Amino acid sequence: MHWNELATALFGPDHGLQAEGALITGTVSFDGQPMAVIGTIDHAPIGVELALRQARAVLDLMAQHPGRPLLLLVDTQGQQLRRHDELLGINRAMAHLAACVDQARRRGHRVIALVYDQALSGGFLATGLMADACYALPAAEIRVMRLPAMARVTKIAEERLQALSQSNPVFAPGVANYVAMGGIQGLWEGDLAAALRQALQTAPREDQRAALGAERAGRRCAAPVIQQVLDAA
Amino acid sequence: MNLSYSECSARERLAALLDAGSFHEWLPPQARITSPHLAQLGVPSSFDDGVAIGRGRLAGQDVFVAAQEGAFMGGGVGEVHGAKLVGLLRRAQRERPRAVLLLAESGGVRLHEANAGLIGVSEVMRAVFDLRATGVPVLVLIGGANGCFGGMGLVARCADRVIISDVGRLAMSGPEVIEASHGVEEFDARDRALVWRTTGGKHRYLLGDADALVDDDVAAFRQAALDWLDRPRPLDLAALEAEHTLLAERQRQAQGCDDARELWQRLGVPEPASVPDLEVAALRPLRPALPETP
């Protein structure tokens, strides 16, 4: 879905959000209350610059509007694959962004993320996966790697991976699989504003994704292993 | 006697780093907690899923530790591997050791079970922040042959402190991945000198991405861990603003710059051309002054 279409569905045609380059920032009114929105568009690769611009927006929100809820709109092809960014320490810039999002949660901001188009590996780690809860549109795409590439890297036949992925969500991309694994809290379908309203009320503040993955049977090991470590003599 | 950190296995590192005989492992190989996904794929698994976790002592002080085994799938984070790290960090929140030491050696998310690995890495990141918020510092030690990449490169910079050796590497995407994506002109992964000066320990130290630079020696890592044990880096708005200022200034200074030697020059490193040949002890004083960190 185009970001403007999404913003209109959520906040009406006068949402007031604007894109500057690959970044959307702004304040919308939701149910009569101000809400901050930070997002990326056009499958933007997250490099040092875009990570810092997002971090700046989160820092400004914390300083100027304590407690105001934040909606992160995710559309990224992953981290920027450039030598310049590696030279500068892209991992530090992305960790800084993650720390800012985490700090916002800790200071009482509600942080909801929505994958409305594409979420790939590194770019997703620093934003959507650091929110109180991350949701997705049913048509969104979430993955680390497509099956053909995974087949090449792991030297396992694509047909085999395809077959295995029917019963094990760990193997194949897709939002439904991320829901089953607990990485995505839920899908937003139909009335998107109602879904956002619901998320603001019910998103967990603690990280419950491992338990969710076990409950939904898409990621059965993580929760029991964590518990075993906690209980180990 | 010098014991090469990079040549040690994960458990050898723990044994030599901690006080003798003090390492007590949780979910040891005897427990045979393996990856069901690798089994499904018919890929050999490991009885510890590539990471050893537990508690031990460092000069008499209680610490929790995790060591990733680079020899098993490059230290890649799968579902069980990630959950062991999360469990350790959450347990540290409950039992409050002096610090948690992560001996990181990883290519990032394990591609055989990538979806679970990606979520797992994000759970590790959140667990690191949760723990730091309670005042227990997390130190990341990097000096294995596989470096510290991908999601673990992010985790490293989510921690309080990073200690790296001159043969250690810390970055996000590996040179091969960048070359495959943007061509050999962008990043020639076979140009070892280029790879080292872009991702290597010396570069990370000069930039301040690592707090300490040590020789490839377990005893040197132990000493550095002790030096930094009681220096947590509390995260609050002021600290994040300071970090932001630093990174924004660096970005400004590095505009249009694609090579480390040029960047070192711009940052004021004396005789940048000599950096690759310098011993660790000779290199340390060349680091430009960094803003005071709490």
Side-chain angles (χ1 to χ4, degrees):
Chain A
M1 187 182 278
H2 188 273
W3 73 266
N4 196 31
E5 194 186 329
L6 171 69
T8 303
L10 284 170
F11 311 114
D14 302 321
H15 55 73
L17 295 174
Q18 288 196 325
E20 202 177 311
L23 184 69
I24 326 166
T25 52
T27 305
V28 296
S29 173
F30 186 70
D31 288 346
Q33 298 294 317
M35 175 186 288
V37 178
I38 301 173
T40 56
I41 63 171
D42 299 335
H43 312 336
I46 312 295
V48 171
E49 189 195 346
L50 199 46
L52 291 183
R53 285 175 69 199
Q54 292 181 86
R56 182 70 262 160
V58 181
L59 286 168
D60 289 345
L61 172 69
M62 287 189 278
Q64 294 162 18
H65 306 288
R68 182 177 285 182
L70 168 63
L71 176 64
L72 296 169
L73 297 178
V74 180
D75 178 20
T76 173
Q77 59 182 266
Q79 68 269 27
Q80 178 76 273
L81 297 170
R82 292 285 185 180
R83 183 151 60 98
H84 174 78
D85 292 81
E86 290 298 341
L87 185 68
L88 256 69
I90 182 176
N91 59 314
R92 182 171 180 175
M94 290 176 68
H96 172 56
L97 172 56
C100 289
V101 173
D102 183 82
Q103 186 70 19
R105 292 181 34 251
R106 228 166 269 286
R107 294 168 70 88
H109 295 261
R110 214 76 176 89
V111 182
I112 305 295
L114 174 67
V115 181
Y116 70 97
D117 196 320
Q118 198 182 78
L120 269 59
S121 48
F124 188 30
L125 274 174
T127 57
L129 290 173
M130 298 307 290
D132 283 324
C134 186
Y135 300 81
L137 297 184
E141 193 181 352
I142 305 178
R143 64 179 149 86
V144 175
M145 202 174 240
R146 286 200 183 90
L147 279 187
M150 185 175 156
R152 268 200 313 279
V153 173
T154 61
K155 299 181 174 63
I156 293 162
E158 194 182 330
E159 296 72 29
R160 177 115 189 270
L161 289 173
Q162 185 71 53
L164 287 171
S165 67
Q166 298 304 314
S167 57
N168 187 343
V170 162
F171 293 128
V175 280
N177 286 336
Y178 273 82
V179 172
M181 288 182 291
I184 293 292
Q185 184 78 20
L187 300 181
W188 288 6
E189 295 175 270
D191 185 344
L192 298 182
L196 173 58
R197 194 170 297 121
Q198 170 88 7
L200 287 166
Q201 285 161 7
T202 60
R205 289 185 190 267
E206 302 296 316
D207 190 348
Q208 299 172 355
R209 292 173 293 178
L212 210 52
E215 192 183 304
R216 295 172 178 174
R219 199 162 52 109
R220 296 164 190 262
C221 301
V225 167
I226 291 169
Q227 194 57 47
Q228 276 177 284
V229 177
L230 288 169
D231 296 343
Chain B
M1 203 178 77
N2 187 313
L3 176 64
S4 165
Y5 184 95
S6 68
E7 288 171 18
C8 282
S9 69
R11 281 190 186 74
E12 286 167 350
R13 283 174 194 155
L14 288 172
L17 188 88
L18 298 167
D19 296 352
S22 73
F23 177 55
H24 172 79
E25 185 166 355
W26 292 317
L27 278 54
Q30 296 85 327
R32 302 202 168 191
I33 296 173
T34 61
S35 163
H37 314 303
L38 294 180
Q40 260 192 300
L41 293 172
V43 172
S45 56
S46 168
F47 290 150
D48 58 13
D49 206 37
V51 63
I53 58 165
R55 59 177 153 76
R57 281 189 301 279
L58 193 67
Q61 306 173 84
D62 291 325
V63 290
F64 284 9
V65 290
Q68 296 178 302
E69 178 52 67
F72 180 67
M73 312 207 86
V77 179
E79 180 176 352
V80 171
H81 184 122
K84 286 175 79 173
L85 294 173
V86 172
L88 183 82
L89 292 159
R90 291 197 186 159
R91 185 162 179 163
Q93 236 182 298
R94 187 180 75 194
E95 296 177 14
R96 304 191 55 79
R98 196 66 171 265
V100 174
L101 310 181
L102 298 182
L103 281 58
E105 178 170 0
S106 177
V109 169
R110 183 187 298 163
L111 294 173
H112 298 74
E113 40 188 294
N115 295 338
L118 185 71
I119 300 169
V121 166
S122 78
E123 289 170 329
V124 172
M125 289 165 66
R126 281 189 62 170
V128 166
F129 288 132
D130 282 344
L131 183 59
R132 289 182 64 185
T134 71
V136 176
V138 180
L139 279 68
V140 174
L141 282 57
I142 302 168
N146 291 276
C148 179
F149 286 91
M152 285 307 297
L154 262 181
V155 169
R157 283 303 322 178
C158 291
D160 289 80
R161 301 293 178 188
V162 174
I163 296 162
I164 198 166
S165 75
D166 59 338
V167 302
R169 286 176 298 152
L170 170 62
M172 186 80 204
S173 307
E176 295 82 6
V177 176
I178 296 177
E179 182 182 319
S181 170
H182 282 93
V184 69
E185 303 77 18
E186 175 72 21
F187 205 155
D188 183 352
R190 286 192 294 185
D191 184 341
R192 285 179 58 86
L194 176 68
V195 169
W196 285 105
R197 67 179 184 264
T198 308
T199 67
K202 285 178 178 176
H203 175 58
R204 290 292 161 231
Y205 177 76
L206 286 173
L207 254 58
D209 294 356
D211 297 281
L213 178 71
V214 298
D215 283 307
D216 177 30
D217 175 14
V218 182
F221 271 99
R222 175 182 161 93
Q223 187 55 52
L226 276 168
D227 291 345
W228 289 93
L229 204 60
D230 287 325
R231 298 176 66 181
R233 196 163 58 90
L235 278 180
D236 56 20
L237 210 44
L240 290 169
E241 280 289 357
E243 172 77 354
H244 197 88
T245 303
L246 182 150
L247 293 179
E249 172 62 11
R250 178 194 294 180
Q251 192 203 4
R252 193 190 61 75
Q253 285 180 305
Q255 225 131 53
C257 176
D258 278 337
D259 193 279
R261 289 169 300 198
E262 167 75 21
L263 183 58
W264 297 334
Q265 175 106 43
R266 292 188 194 181
L267 295 174
V269 176
E271 298 186 54
S274 71
V275 166
D277 301 322
L278 289 176
E279 298 287 329
V280 164
L283 182 101
R284 285 198 200 108
L286 301 188
R287 173 153 85 172
L290 297 164
E292 215 25 60
T293 49

